[in-house]
Amino acid sequence: MSIDLSPLTLAASIIYVTVVIGCLFAAGSATKQTRPYWQRRAWLFLTALFLTLLVSRIFGLEEFARDVLRQNLRAGGNYAARRDVQGIIAGIVIMLSAGASALALVKAKGRIRGRSDTAAALALAAGTAMMFLVAVRLISLHALDWFLYGPLKLNWIGDIGLSATVLAASVYFVKLVRART
């Protein structure tokens, strides 16, 4: 585990820092303007998520975790059959993500009233999708890796797009909440 500040790592770190700042401003605005408590918690959760992603990126924690998983498979003599294990884990992650998303939609139905609620909910959805993307990267299933790291670089498109969505939602939220005073 070392600090490798390649240009891509530096770019991702700058994006994550910017998102963290946006989420902190949104959490502060939600607190000052006495918005519903869930909004402040949502922005604080997203702040923690992107701080975790920042630390993970700077210190190479994802790569470290993948290496540890590979070493454990090798030590257990299961490395040759890793695709079977990865396939099962990928299926579980996809099913859990779909279930959590469906549950969140059911719970949110009728509770999202207005643009500030929508901005916070959109940011949470993008944060949840970011966690799914990280989980898929950790699983490192060959077929999924082709989509993530292949010619389209969906990993970077997803990472940057989801980060930008959270940032845009936080800026919009702050603008909406501050305009009400």
Side-chain angles (χ1 to χ4, degrees):
M1 202 170 35
S2 65
I3 297 177
D4 176 26
L5 292 179
S6 68
L8 292 177
T9 298
L10 190 57
S13 298
I14 291 169
I15 291 169
Y16 293 158
V17 165
T18 307
V19 174
V20 165
I21 292 168
C23 290
L24 284 172
F25 272 105
S29 294
T31 302
K32 285 181 189 174
Q33 304 303 323
T34 60
R35 301 297 306 152
Y37 186 65
W38 75 268
Q39 289 180 354
R40 189 177 104 216
R41 286 188 312 179
W43 293 115
L44 290 175
F45 165 76
L46 290 166
T47 300
L49 172 65
F50 279 89
L51 274 174
T52 303
L53 291 171
L54 174 65
V55 169
S56 175
R57 179 71 67 175
I58 289 172
F59 291 102
L61 297 180
E62 270 187 56
E63 188 59 39
F64 177 75
R66 272 193 297 275
D67 289 343
V68 167
L69 291 172
R70 284 186 198 117
Q71 288 172 0
N72 286 341
L73 286 171
R74 283 187 187 111
N78 297 322
Y79 191 74
R82 71 187 180 282
R83 299 217 192 299
D84 297 334
V85 174
Q86 289 170 323
I88 292 168
I89 294 171
I92 290 170
V93 166
I94 290 169
M95 288 183 354
L96 287 175
S97 296
S101 297
L103 180 64
L105 284 173
V106 168
K107 287 187 85 169
K109 185 179 178 185
R111 292 185 182 181
I112 297 176
R113 297 182 179 104
R115 294 178 293 172
S116 64
D117 283 354
T118 302
L122 176 64
L124 276 175
T128 303
M130 181 66 91
M131 291 188 313
F132 175 73
L133 177 62
V134 170
V136 169
R137 287 192 308 226
L138 282 173
I139 295 166
S140 188
L141 185 61
H142 181 69
L144 295 175
D145 287 349
W146 186 87
F147 285 107
L148 291 175
Y149 307 111
L152 293 178
K153 305 289 186 235
L154 293 179
N155 174 51
W156 280 96
I157 292 171
D159 201 317
I160 293 168
L162 293 168
S163 297
T165 300
V166 173
L167 179 60
S170 69
V171 169
Y172 185 62
F173 179 86
V174 169
K175 179 182 173 187
L176 286 173
V177 171
R178 289 187 177 174
R180 291 185 179 169
T181 58

